Amino acid sequence: MVQKLGLALSLPTIKQVGGAWQPSNERNLEAWYKYQTGITLNGSDVSAWADSSSNSFDMVQATASKQPAYNSGDIDFDASASQSLSTASDIIFSGVFTIGIKLFPSASNAVVLGDNTSGQNEFFKITSTNNLRFKTDGSQVDMVLDSGSFLGDNYLVITRNSSDLVTLYFNGVAQADTETLAGTVNMDSIGVRAVNVNHYDGTISEIQMYDTESTALTADVNTYLSNL
């Protein structure tokens, strides 16, 4: 049985987000995988997670054994089963961007977002409990947490400004380890990179992507994710 959980369906477990701001307020919203929204179920597994922006970068998984589970509103990925979701067209950032993610990883050496198209090999990957690697156009940078661990219930905001400065916000706090990396970012998958390696293990609740960057937007995304 396939069913879709969308905006029209009222789920009693949905947590209310404080404040009036919504990602859809932003004209530079590129993709939005919204908590408990746009999810198509194949039994208890997720065969699709619709893009809640207007750009239709829907994430799907046609192979039943590779479909992540739906777990109380979260998308639950099992790395041992090579589970992931992918969109048919790349989400591309040639310059500035803001990416927000609510997640609960249970293992490192795991890709959160990546390009699973042969020849691209671009990603955001948790390489250890305190290190996030960003790779694009054949170059990479590592961002180390000031303290704490990625393995747990956290939210991340990653920004790149017009000077190609990449900043990681961990649970709302800008981390000291900033890096510089230019290049065109191609993303088409949640939970995997090319080709079908470094699968994510754990849950992902929400992903927001914008092709803009500002102090105000970063604050809004951090506040929104903190309330999920």
Side-chain angles (χ1 to χ4, degrees), residues 93 96-100 157-160 208-214 217-218 221:
F93 301 105
V96 300
F97 63 74
T98 301
I99 298 174
V157 176
I158 308 153
T159 66
R160 184 169 71 178
Q208 304 172 16
M209 302 185 193
Y210 307 82
D211 61 356
T212 189
E213 181 272 338
S214 70
L217 176 61
T218 299
V221 176

Side-chain angles (χ1 to χ4, degrees), residues 97-120:
F97 63 74
T98 301
I99 298 174
I101 309 166
K102 181 73 169 67
L103 75 176
F104 195 133
S106 55
S108 57
N109 195 32
V111 168
V112 182
L113 291 169
D115 194 302
N116 200 24
T117 305
S118 178
Q120 291 294 341

Side-chain angles (χ1 to χ4, degrees), residues 163-177:
S163 300
D164 298 318
L165 181 70
V166 183
T167 302
L168 168 66
Y169 296 79
F170 180 66
N171 295 331
V173 179
Q175 303 299 286
D177 185 4

Side-chain angles (χ1 to χ4, degrees), residues 2-181:
V2 176
Q3 66 184 94
K4 186 168 183 177
L5 305 181
L7 290 171
L9 182 61
S10 176
L11 298 177
T13 56
I14 291 177
K15 303 172 187 176
Q16 297 302 312
V17 176
W21 182 87
Q22 293 282 315
S24 53
N25 294 353
E26 304 293 328
R27 64 183 180 85
N28 292 99
L29 178 63
E30 192 71 8
W32 182 15
Y33 305 102
K34 187 177 181 181
Y35 180 58
Q36 291 189 337
T37 301
I39 296 164
T40 301
L41 293 179
N42 177 23
S44 60
D45 297 330
V46 177
S47 61
W49 196 359
D51 178 10
S52 287
S53 81
S54 61
N55 295 319
S56 300
F57 290 114
D58 300 338
M59 292 282 177
V60 303
Q61 178 54 262
T63 304
S65 64
K66 296 183 178 182
Q67 294 171 353
Y70 188 68
N71 185 0
S72 300
D74 301 321
I75 315 299
D76 196 347
F77 295 82
D78 181 355
S80 67
S82 301
Q83 294 175 350
S84 64
L85 298 167
S86 296
T87 185
S89 301
D90 280 6
I91 303 166
I92 300 172
F93 301 105
S94 58
V96 300
F97 63 74
T98 301
I99 298 174
I101 309 166
K102 181 73 169 67
L103 75 176
F104 195 133
S106 55
S108 57
N109 195 32
V111 168
V112 182
L113 291 169
D115 194 302
N116 200 24
T117 305
S118 178
Q120 291 294 341
N121 193 24
E122 302 187 343
F123 55 76
F124 292 94
K125 180 171 72 170
I126 297 170
T127 62
S128 69
T129 59
N130 68 342
N131 190 84
L132 180 71
R133 179 168 296 165
F134 167 37
K135 183 174 182 180
T136 186
D137 287 357
S139 298
Q140 66 186 40
V141 292
D142 289 335
M143 291 172 284
V144 180
L145 292 178
D146 295 348
S147 62
S149 171
F150 286 113
L151 306 188
D153 188 8
N154 301 303
Y155 59 96
L156 315 177
V157 176
I158 308 153
T159 66
R160 184 169 71 178
N161 69 13
S162 58
S163 300
D164 298 318
L165 181 70
V166 183
T167 302
L168 168 66
Y169 296 79
F170 180 66
N171 295 331
V173 179
Q175 303 299 286
D177 185 4
T178 59
E179 301 290 341
T180 301
L181 185 60

